[in-house]
Amino acid sequence: MTLGLTRVDLPKGAATREAFGDALAEAGGADDRIVVVDGDVNNSTYTYKFKDKYPERFFNVGIAESNLIGVAAGLAGAGKIPVASSFSVFLLANAYDQIRMGVAFPNQNVKLVGTHAGISIGEDGPSQMGIEDVSLACSLPGFTVIVPADGPSTAAATAAMLQREGPTFLRCGRPSVPVVYPGAADVHIGKANTLRDGDDVTIIANGIMVAMALDAAEGLAEEGVEARVVDMHTVKPIDQNAIELAARETRGIVVAEEHLAYGGLGSTVAMVVAEHRPTPMAFVNIGDTYATSGTPEELLTKFGLTPDAILDAAKRVLKD
Amino acid sequence: MPQTRPAERSELPGIAQRLRRHIVTSTTAAGSGHPSTSLSMVELLTVLYFGGVLRYDPSDPQDPHRDRFILSKGHGAPGLYAVLAEAGYFPTEELSTLRRLGSPLEGHPNMCRLPGVEASTGSLGQGLSIGLGHALAGRLDGSGYRVYVMLGDGESEEGQVWEAFMYAGNHGLDNLTAIIDHNGYQQTDAVDQVQPLEPLTEKLASFGWAARTIDGHSLDEVIEAFEWARTTKGRPQAIVARTTKGKGVSLLESAPGKWHGKPLPPDEEAKALEEIGAAI
Ligand SMILES: Cc1ncc(C[n+]2csc(CCOP(=O)(O)OP(=O)(O)O)c2C)c(N)n1
Ligand SMILES: [Mg+2]
């Protein structure tokens, strides 16, 4: 039996990029070291909200991402807290060596915020989709990598990121997403949130897949399977403890992410599981391919990012 | 050997009109996309494909001797698709599938899915380097093909563009022509507010390019400029085309900063098509 949830209809609500923009504008009032560097997309990333309040601390360097990152590195070197923001693919993929040499290697306090991550941007198509970004960011020594699930947790993650020293990548999406943290969210970087308890199987997810994981857990419960749902908002440093507990207390782990198969959350969780407590696993992700144009819902369905896909994966690991 | 496929000079305004209609209707039907970006380059595309400039053969899109046209500002895809359809690469009816699941007419050009698309673009700043590679290969092989690359003015803020300008100029690649669609606006603001490019032709000249500024909506000036480019020897050529973002649709022209990346709403479509005029 399946849930019939082969499609996901994304309900109206805050997009994570918008929650980030609001939280950033608010944080700007509390700490005047915060500066923003933009690459001509502030109306897409919502950093225009910061710009409107603090124009003197806002720099649009134009469509020039390598320069953007270098400028952010210099601002950090001079004691500022720069937030470098663009589409995640243009930040991570276009300016990777600048990030490596300017931010990661010298351990500069630069906050990279990439929006329009994943295939759920829809019609603009593959060139605009950040689907390698988590892998690229996780590869950088010293980087913290955060993929929040919804508006409230993005706001909390933004605040936590700005208060914490060190290079960070925060990943946001384009579409409205369901709220999984009604009210204020508690986000402690490096510490996963268990949103639903269960001792049959664990679903570890982040980003838009968290809401789908909760849907899948509902469906599993109807079939008598109790699924634990863990929001692994921080991919790096990963919460080893939460993974070990899941491996010990449940019979298998499903990892769901809106990212390519290699180098993202799935790989990171698998490494912990393999080393500390081997257990059956299954992976829900985009696989090893670029997407196409289509509506966000169509693409999520076509590339297998649905509650049903998670549900099926959970059944697979339980069969093992 | 692929040939140019020129239309009569008198037919060019009608072709430009058809391209504009396709751009408006395809993006409005899609509900997203970049009509204003596409409308500013219509005369340039019209002359490239129908003014005796490009040598191409839609029945053999991979002919090694074809001239290349690369749309570096990939978000102008609706304009590229319109001219490729009119040129015969695929039926114009397919334009209505723009950005739909399964359609090869993706939001940004994908060379693996649509014949006639020479480079997959959409991340700005990269097309000129790809064009440079084609130009170098053409010189290496002794093939006489020419390479044309269309860039945005905002896009020209990317460092890679100037890396390519520098190399092409230093190596005298006269089989390469850059066209800068200088419509004065980028995504968030006017180019002059973000990063003024002026003096642009002087900069390009100092990089070793033959460069001139033209009115990018005057068919005669565009025809003349491509003839000048083709006959310029020893240096790559840059055509800086002064254009209007959203050209032909007054609503889009009136606030280019606001309309970037936005299709006309369905209730504005009829008026826009009336302004553009009926295809001849
Ligand atoms: C590397 C990169 N950075 C940012 C963007 C987002 N973006 C898409 S279009 C655009 C503005 C382009 O302006 P311009 O080159 O002047 O083109 P126009 O639309 O005016 O023709 C931006 C910033 C992108 N596509 N690629
Ligand atoms: Mg422009």
Side-chain angles (χ1 to χ4, degrees):
Chain A
M1 192 194 108
T2 66
L3 279 176
L5 289 173
T6 51
R7 297 171 43 95
V8 185
D9 290 309
L10 297 168
K12 297 263 177 286
T16 52
R17 59 176 168 145
E18 184 169 8
F20 150 70
D22 284 332
L24 176 65
E26 197 181 313
D31 190 337
D32 63 11
R33 292 173 303 167
I34 297 174
V35 294
V36 173
V37 196
D38 169 42
D40 193 37
V41 287
N42 58 74
N43 50 354
S44 296
T45 58
Y46 282 86
T47 56
Y48 77 86
K49 295 195 173 192
F50 183 97
K51 174 181 126 193
D52 288 350
K53 280 172 91 173
Y54 310 105
E56 70 291 348
R57 284 191 271 142
F58 183 90
F59 309 100
N60 179 359
V61 300
I63 310 171
E65 290 77 11
S66 306
N67 189 42
L68 191 170
I69 296 295
V71 167
L75 286 161
K80 304 296 180 195
I81 304 175
V83 175
S85 188
S86 180
F87 286 29
S88 77
V89 69
F90 303 141
L91 277 185
L92 266 305
N94 204 329
Y96 198 62
D97 193 37
Q98 283 72 19
I99 295 172
R100 177 176 174 268
M101 284 308 295
V103 182
F105 180 38
N107 193 38
Q108 291 295 303
N109 189 27
V110 173
K111 314 303 184 188
L112 305 180
V113 181
T115 64
H116 295 65
I119 60 175
S120 58
I121 69 163
E123 291 83 351
D124 270 349
S127 67
Q128 316 292 299
M129 296 169 174
I131 55 175
E132 313 92 336
D133 52 347
V134 175
S135 173
L136 289 169
C138 283
S139 296
L140 296 164
F143 249 77
T144 295
V145 179
I146 311 171
V147 184
D150 68 353
S153 60
T154 301
T158 302
M161 164 184 83
L162 291 169
Q163 276 157 25
R164 192 165 172 273
E165 182 81 19
T168 305
F169 171 53
L170 175 72
R171 187 195 208 215
C172 298
R174 177 177 180 273
S176 309
V177 286
V179 174
V180 297
Y181 293 91
D186 241 354
V187 174
H188 299 283
I189 292 171
K191 179 133 188 23
N193 288 334
T194 300
L195 300 182
R196 178 182 177 122
D197 224 340
D199 51 15
D200 290 323
V201 65
T202 301
I203 306 167
I204 297 177
N206 64 17
I208 64 168
M209 300 312 290
V210 174
M212 296 193 209
L214 289 168
D215 277 353
E218 281 294 319
L220 287 164
E222 280 170 29
E223 298 182 39
V225 176
E226 288 308 321
R228 178 180 303 184
V229 176
V230 175
D231 173 11
M232 192 64 79
H233 48 74
T234 308
V235 186
K236 190 183 177 185
I238 194 92
D239 186 343
Q240 285 207 20
N241 189 46
I243 298 169
E244 281 183 50
L245 282 179
R248 200 173 317 131
E249 296 171 357
T250 69
R251 288 188 280 138
I253 296 176
V254 175
V255 187
E257 63 188 317
E258 190 191 11
H259 189 269
L260 292 174
Y262 294 97
L265 180 64
S267 305
T268 310
V269 172
M271 212 150 62
V272 176
V273 169
E275 190 164 40
H276 296 281
R277 181 101 188 178
T279 195
M281 292 188 73
F283 302 90
V284 174
N285 53 46
I286 301 165
D288 187 26
T289 183
Y290 288 104
T292 65
S293 289
T295 67
E297 293 80 2
E298 284 169 344
L299 294 180
L300 290 169
T301 304
K302 177 172 159 95
F303 290 92
L305 303 184
T306 61
D308 260 356
I310 298 173
L311 185 142
D312 290 344
K315 288 188 192 166
R316 272 202 313 278
V317 296
L318 287 176
K319 253 192 228 140
D320 282 356
Chain B
M1 195 65 193
Q3 300 298 318
T4 58
R5 305 159 69 86
E8 294 294 328
R9 171 65 184 82
S10 60
E11 290 178 280
L12 297 182
I15 295 171
Q17 238 173 9
R18 284 208 293 277
L19 298 189
R20 287 204 157 84
R21 297 177 75 87
H22 291 320
I23 289 165
V24 166
T25 53
S26 65
T27 52
T28 294
S32 64
H34 298 75
S36 67
T37 294
S38 302
L39 288 166
S40 64
M41 54 178 186
V42 160
E43 281 73 19
L44 296 161
L45 293 174
T46 300
V47 173
L48 272 165
Y49 282 84
F50 297 100
V53 179
L54 283 180
R55 291 166 295 177
Y56 64 100
D57 179 359
S59 70
D60 188 7
Q62 290 300 321
D63 186 315
H65 299 295
R66 73 196 182 280
D67 289 337
R68 276 73 162 160
F69 172 68
I70 292 173
L71 182 66
S72 188
K73 49 169 232 177
H75 60 296
L80 176 63
Y81 299 155
V83 80
L84 288 178
E86 285 289 338
Y89 282 91
F90 56 88
T92 52
E93 293 74 52
E94 277 188 39
L95 291 168
S96 64
T97 68
L98 176 69
R99 292 177 158 243
R100 295 216 193 290
L101 188 70
S103 171
L105 309 188
E106 293 188 354
H108 294 75
N110 181 342
M111 66 186 284
C112 300
R113 296 191 65 194
L114 193 63
V117 173
E118 296 283 2
S120 296
T121 52
S123 181
L124 293 167
Q126 305 187 18
L128 188 59
S129 301
I130 297 170
L132 178 54
H134 278 277
L136 284 167
R139 191 154 81 174
L140 193 62
D141 294 345
S143 176
Y145 67 75
R146 296 186 44 80
V147 184
Y148 298 86
V149 182
M150 176 88 68
L151 300 110
D153 44 7
E155 177 183 23
S156 300
E157 293 160 3
E158 287 282 3
Q160 184 182 348
V161 171
W162 295 92
E163 295 171 26
F165 275 138
M166 193 153 27
Y167 189 95
N170 282 332
H171 292 81
L173 282 153
D174 57 11
N175 55 348
L176 178 63
T177 304
I179 308 136
I180 298 172
D181 182 5
H182 200 358
N183 58 25
Y185 283 84
Q186 47 193 91
Q187 176 171 321
T188 61
D189 215 332
V191 176
D192 275 347
Q193 295 300 312
V194 181
Q195 191 86 283
L197 295 172
E198 256 51 68
L200 187 50
T201 46
E202 287 85 341
K203 272 182 192 154
L204 292 164
S206 73
F207 274 58
W209 286 60
R212 58 157 64 177
T213 301
I214 63 162
D215 173 351
H217 296 307
S218 157
L219 286 166
D220 288 330
E221 284 193 35
V222 173
I223 291 167
E224 219 278 305
F226 280 119
E227 181 58 17
W228 161 81
R230 194 178 59 79
T231 52
T232 297
K233 296 294 165 220
R235 280 183 297 168
Q237 317 84 39
I239 299 171
V240 177
R242 289 261 173 211
T243 57
T244 300
K245 200 158 173 170
K247 179 71 176 179
V249 178
S250 56
L251 184 62
L252 301 180
E253 285 187 31
S254 69
K258 273 221 303 261
W259 282 99
H260 176 88
K262 295 201 179 79
L264 282 173
D267 58 354
E268 294 287 348
E269 187 182 48
K271 180 159 172 273
L273 293 178
E274 198 180 294
E275 279 178 8
I276 291 167
I280 299 160

